[in-house]
Amino acid sequence: MDAARFREVLSAVPTSVVVVTAVDRGEPVGMAVGTFLSVSLDPPLVGFLPAASSTTFPRIRHADAFCANVLTVNQQHVSRAFATRGADKFAGLSWRPAPVTGSPVLEGVAAWIDCRITRLHEAGDHFIVIGEVTDLAAAPGERPLVFHRSRYMDSAPEIQASPDSVRAGE
Ligand SMILES: Cc1cc2nc3c(=O)[nH]c(=O)nc-3n(C[C@H](O)[C@H](O)[C@H](O)COP(=O)(O)O)c2cc1C
């Protein structure tokens, strides 16, 4: 498999931009991911896929918990900070501890989902991490940030896809 072709084709799939946070030995840690997913309603499970090479994921794993912070269109700079290895990722950011696990809830996010890690699977050069949801909330009206073809995008307002509007566009 040609790596460049794999990346190019898969970049056609738009993703959310989520910062997964935890507190490890008293220190906040986090990483940006495009692989956050809703897994199960009963029991309530979500997941994400960290690279085996991530230096942050071992710390999230040690914390045994994480909070998934869904970034808004105004938080591209937050994504960039949390995608930079070795950076002081929390510099200049406000956050509060999630009620159950204490993992950081970043200020101004579109939604946050607080979890305890329940399963970890190996998958090629990544892990699949599953967490049981302990608490969650969303800020209605916030537009989530989208990543598509290696660029940040705005999530456009709802499209009006009725048969009438299709006909009107002919
Ligand atoms: C939009 C976006 C999506 C990303 N998705 C993932 C992902 O799903 N899994 C992953 O391991 N890294 C992903 N990254 C890269 C990590 O954020 C980055 O490599 C990492 O946080 C920095 O290294 P560290 O984990 O060693 O601190 C993504 C980066 C961006 C900007």
Side-chain angles (χ1 to χ4, degrees), residues 31-35 49-51 54-56 79 82-83 85 89 147 152:
M31 62 188 289
V33 301
T35 52
L49 282 73
S54 166
T55 58
T56 298
S79 172
F82 280 91
R85 179 166 296 178
K89 297 178 174 183
F147 200 65
Y152 292 104

